[in-house]
């Protein structure tokens, strides 16, 4: 079960305010997620293996901050997810299939540290799409990011890499668009 929450209204130039807004919003909207999921399990005898939260790509929030401390945001997500009792929180994400912004570059560079410093935070980077093609600079960089994440979590068999997805999105092209 995944609850998707938009964090677009958590923007601020101050990273501390962004973190405060994130904590408030996740508590408000996801505070009872696990309870409701457990109720559904009990009522219908259907196991819900993972209870998750997915949020707006954090690269979009971090862009608004004058001091781009993405790891602080990741730690805030982790604490909020733990408070709700979910298994994972996704959204430590950058969408660079067309090109990078400066904030996306900074977020991507922070992924190994963020995943090593958190337990429940999952990260993803979309490096390509069938419409835009593949951002080969991002592919190269992500190879280095995966390696660094594995090194930082070597004591847990590279677990940070299990929380990281590098993807290319597929968009169905209609016959007249090919």
């Amino acid at each position: 079960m995944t609850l998707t929450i938009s964090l677009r209204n958590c923007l601020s130039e101050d990273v501390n305010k962004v973190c405060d807004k994130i904590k408030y919003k996740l508590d408000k909207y996801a505070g009872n997620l696990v309870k409701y999921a457990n109720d559904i399990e009990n009522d219908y005898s259907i196991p819900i293996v993972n209870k998750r939260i997915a949020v707006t790509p954090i690269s979009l929030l971090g862009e608004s901050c004058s001091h781009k401390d993405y790891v602080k945001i990741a730690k805030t997500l982790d604490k909020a997810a733990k408070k709700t009792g979910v298994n994972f929180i996704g959204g430590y994400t950058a969408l660079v299939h067309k090109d990078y912004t400066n904030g996306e570059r900074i977020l991507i560079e922070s992924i190994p540290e963020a995943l090593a410093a958190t337990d429940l935070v999952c990260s993803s980077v979309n490096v390509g799409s069938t419409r835009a093609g593949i951002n080969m600079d991002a592919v190269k960089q992500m190879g280095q990011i995966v390696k660094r994440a594995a090194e930082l979590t070597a004591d847990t068999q590279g677990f940070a890499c299990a929380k990281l997805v590098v993807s290319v999105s597929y968009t169905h092209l209609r016959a007249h668009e090919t």
Side-chain angles (χ1 to χ4, degrees):
M1 175 180 282
T2 303
L3 175 64
T4 303
I5 300 173
S6 172
L7 298 179
R8 286 191 177 263
N9 63 347
C10 296
L11 300 173
S12 176
E13 285 188 20
D14 181 351
V15 71
N16 294 315
K17 287 182 182 177
V18 168
C19 290
D20 288 343
K21 290 177 180 183
I22 289 170
K23 283 187 272 190
Y24 172 79
K25 194 159 189 184
L26 291 180
D27 186 48
K28 179 178 179 180
Y29 293 105
N32 290 319
L33 176 64
V34 172
K35 178 195 174 305
Y36 294 144
N38 291 340
D39 289 347
I40 291 168
E41 282 182 317
N42 293 333
D43 289 349
Y44 297 100
S45 299
I46 300 171
I48 299 174
V49 178
N50 285 306
K51 290 95 175 170
R52 302 177 295 237
I53 300 169
V55 298
T56 305
I58 296 303
S59 64
L60 300 175
L61 268 67
E63 291 264 329
S64 69
C65 301
S66 56
H67 177 68
K68 295 179 182 6
D69 189 350
Y70 288 103
V71 174
K72 182 173 188 148
I73 296 172
K75 289 177 180 179
T76 298
L77 291 170
D78 197 53
K79 286 179 190 172
K82 286 177 179 176
K83 184 176 179 186
T84 66
V86 296
N87 303 99
F88 296 105
I89 185 164
Y92 200 77
T93 299
L95 308 173
V96 297
H97 53 283
K98 291 185 179 180
D99 200 4
Y100 291 96
T101 64
N102 187 45
E104 289 166 333
R105 286 183 193 278
I106 295 168
L107 179 127
I108 290 171
E109 287 296 325
S110 76
I111 289 172
E113 182 184 348
L115 294 181
T118 61
D119 297 315
L120 307 179
V121 173
C122 296
S123 182
S124 63
V125 178
N126 186 22
V127 298
S129 73
T130 52
R131 288 189 186 239
I134 298 174
N135 180 339
M136 293 306 290
D137 292 332
V139 171
K140 178 184 176 194
Q141 183 183 23
M142 288 312 299
Q144 297 162 348
I145 295 299
V146 170
K147 182 179 180 199
R148 182 72 182 131
E151 291 168 351
L152 288 178
T153 56
D155 59 328
T156 59
Q157 299 175 331
F159 187 65
C161 297
K163 301 187 300 173
L164 174 57
V165 173
V166 181
S167 64
V168 174
S169 57
Y170 172 77
T171 305
H172 178 71
L173 300 175
R174 288 180 247 145
H176 70 278
E177 293 177 306
T178 58

